[in-house]
Amino acid sequence: MTTATTGSTAAGRDGGSPGSASAGGAGVGDAVAVAVTDVPSTQVTATPGRRAAGRRNRGRNLLLALWLPVVLLVGWWFLSANSTSPYFPPLQVILQSVWDEWVIGDAKTQLWPSLRHLALGFIGGSLLGVLGGALLWRLPVLRKGTNPIVYFLYVLPAPALLPAMIALFGLGEARQVALIAFGATWPALLNTLDGMRGIDQVKFDTARAMKFSSLRTVTAVVLPGASPQIAAGLRASLQVSIILMVVSEMIAASEGIGYFILYAQTVFAIVTMWSGIVVLSVLGTLLNYLFVFAEHRLLGWYHGSRAVGTDKA
Amino acid sequence: MQVFATYTRAAVVPLVTLALVLASWQAVTVSGLFRPDQFPTMTATLQALGTALGTEALWSAVGATLQGWAIGLLLATVLAVVIGSALAANDVAFRSAASVIELFKAIPAIAILPLVILVLGSTLDMKVFLVAFGAFWPLVIQVVYGVRSIDPTVRDTARVLGVGGVRRFLTVTIPSASPYMATGLRIASASALILSVVAELVGGAEGIGRAILFARNAGVTSYPTMYAYILVSGLLGIVLTGAFFLVEKRAMHWHESQRNAKDNELGAR
């Protein structure tokens, strides 16, 4: 970092991240307002204008982003090629097993129950969280009253509830969905509440002066104003949901990818276990990137406006 | 007097709500809506909590969980600060490593749990490794962004004054990056607690997670104890998050973000 120009090429990238982290915690008096806002570091916002230079930069950045993962993979391949350690089989053997078990074989049937529980739990919990957050935003008395309880349920490590969920719902699918939904609710709820409270009061006054209907106020003021933080909350919810999906399959379960990996481990089928780990890692990564992609499509206007702002500054 | 009244009212509403929640817990369990083998009564659970708080078993479990949490988090923090500052100092290094870090951050840490159990067994090492692995990736990203956010004027002033090496790292780089690190640590602390509990539940390491599972396996009579342990794990979460919150407020009082927070708080009153 000796020249001033390195700073400006990076501006598009770090531009968005600093604010959201501290802004979540700042400016809110309630103890509940713990910023769960993860820093949106996966967002690469293109700097508008300067197209040709931008294209050249993009090519360079793409190369820079790709070479290390490729080198690591190749390194893993060759370093593990003659491995005799029972725990770390050669990468070639692992990938062969991924192909045999997950592409040709039946292991992929383990994915459907996992994804079904995840989808039901995540969507159900997020809906509960967003609606609950909106409700608490509208009803300050309820918000003050439930503050300690909501806070308690948010910081409670959700996997600890799994034995209780088994007691409550038995060994069926219901307890898995319920656990995932429970974990997904609180980050969504707190971020929704925080996002809605952060909307400038002037906007509401303007909406009232312009005689907006309540529906129009919601769609034109509340949702656009709070959606960036709601999205941050939902991403935190998704991450918790994935952990809970796997944990719930690792205890007293008989299907799912978590069960598959742990079962392979207990019978010392190390290569099979590795194949499960690879598939789960890819699945988790894909879901995360899918979310970021969807967020960018839906909130493109917001990231766009932020990028322009940082470009000026 | 006015202030006193405001504070009393602020405390009364949550207390009333808490009482209502506890009362409805008692109501749904005594009325038979939930069987005792599903959900024990509130009184039985609180009684079990009282008993458990006096036993050594609970405190050694809490201690074991805290130990895994603390060592894992410390390890991740030290590594993240060292590696993160090094990466932030060089644009090419940062851009090269960013994709790898993002990739590892997106991988759910729990995916490697069976492998870690296999290699390290049901030990503290296993828990520490899982916690450190899970906490490291989000932390290192925060450190990189924090160090890169350093005010150019401050950086240039330090250079002109000839402040360099370790001294610049400690007096300029770390303080500049600290608000980012604080946010990263708060997030990492929460996920470290979750991973500790998971390592105990699934991996069988000593701690509150294993205590909860053992209480469940001991049968219906110890269900109140199981729920009491779950409450303890929640209280643990409150203590850890609260501690971070206070430390951050104390240590960062000089920083802009905290000054603004204070102003806003005052303004809101």
Side-chain angles (χ1 to χ4, degrees), chain A residues 24-299:
Chain A
V28 193
D30 277 2
V32 139
V34 180
V36 284
T37 332
D38 204 346
V39 173
S41 43
T42 35
Q43 294 154 4
V44 185
T45 23
T47 329
R50 289 174 282 165
R51 299 247 159 165
R55 210 172 300 138
R56 219 177 319 120
N57 261 338
R58 201 174 298 165
R60 175 177 165 269
N61 289 344
L62 192 70
L63 265 179
L64 277 177
L66 283 181
W67 75 268
L68 192 57
V70 171
V71 166
L72 285 177
L73 266 181
V74 171
W76 183 9
W77 178 281
F78 284 109
L79 286 177
S80 69
N82 297 315
S83 165
T84 49
S85 157
Y87 301 144
F88 300 97
L91 179 58
Q92 191 186 359
V93 176
I94 296 172
L95 292 182
Q96 184 66 45
S97 162
V98 169
W99 178 262
D100 291 344
E101 304 252 4
W102 294 89
V103 181
I104 302 174
D106 295 335
K108 53 180 170 288
T109 54
Q110 302 286 353
L111 283 176
W112 307 134
S114 293
L115 288 174
R116 190 172 60 237
H117 301 154
L118 181 72
L120 287 174
F122 171 65
I123 293 173
S126 309
L127 273 178
L128 265 179
V130 172
L131 292 177
L135 194 70
L136 291 187
W137 172 63
R138 291 295 296 168
L139 304 171
V141 177
L142 192 66
R143 181 169 75 226
K144 286 203 183 79
T146 53
N147 190 343
I149 294 165
V150 167
Y151 186 63
F152 179 79
L153 294 175
Y154 167 62
V155 297
L156 181 98
L161 273 175
L162 182 61
M165 291 290 179
I166 298 176
L168 277 170
F169 296 101
L171 288 175
E173 276 186 67
R175 52 114 193 184
Q176 284 171 311
V177 175
L179 183 71
I180 298 172
F182 175 89
T185 301
W186 309 110
L189 186 146
L190 288 175
N191 276 282
T192 303
L193 178 58
D194 234 20
M196 289 184 174
R197 291 186 71 185
I199 301 172
D200 195 346
Q201 192 59 40
V202 176
K203 290 184 181 168
F204 290 107
D205 296 342
T206 314
R208 203 171 306 131
M210 292 172 77
K211 297 204 164 43
F212 275 19
S213 66
S214 13
L215 181 70
R216 182 132 184 242
T217 311
V218 168
T219 55
V221 179
V222 178
L223 285 182
S227 53
Q229 197 160 356
I230 295 179
L234 291 183
R235 192 167 45 190
S237 289
L238 179 66
Q239 282 164 355
V240 174
S241 299
I242 294 174
I243 293 181
L244 293 176
M245 169 191 93
V246 180
V247 175
S248 70
E249 288 165 353
M250 284 182 168
I251 291 172
S254 56
E255 57 175 6
I257 185 162
Y259 165 78
F260 179 90
I261 297 175
L262 199 64
Y263 178 76
Q265 188 247 54
T266 50
V267 299
F268 280 93
I270 310 288
V271 175
T272 311
M273 176 193 81
W274 268 100
S275 82
I277 291 177
V278 168
V279 170
L280 177 56
S281 304
V282 171
L283 182 71
T285 312
L286 273 183
L287 286 172
N288 262 311
Y289 280 107
L290 206 65
F291 186 92
V292 173
F293 177 73
E295 185 191 334
H296 263 247
R297 288 311 282 276
L298 293 172
L299 294 180

Side-chain angles (χ1 to χ4, degrees), chain B residues 211-222:
Chain B
I212 293 170
L213 198 63
F214 281 2
R216 191 196 89 86
N217 295 342
V220 180
T221 47
S222 61

Side-chain angles (χ1 to χ4, degrees), chain B residues 105-121:
Chain B
K105 191 181 146 215
I107 293 175
I110 190 173
I112 62 160
L113 177 61
L115 177 70
V116 184
I117 298 173
L118 199 63
V119 177
L120 297 173

Side-chain angles (χ1 to χ4, degrees), chain B residues 65-83 127-136 139-140 143 181 184-185 188-189 192-193 196 244:
Chain B
T65 302
L66 280 178
Q67 205 181 3
W69 172 87
I71 301 178
L73 202 56
L74 188 70
L75 211 63
T77 309
V78 171
L79 285 175
V81 168
V82 172
I83 296 175
K127 205 194 313 185
V128 167
F129 185 89
L130 188 74
V131 169
F133 180 85
F136 173 75
L139 266 178
V140 75
V143 173
M181 290 200 275
L185 269 175
S189 156
L193 182 62
S196 289
F244 263 94

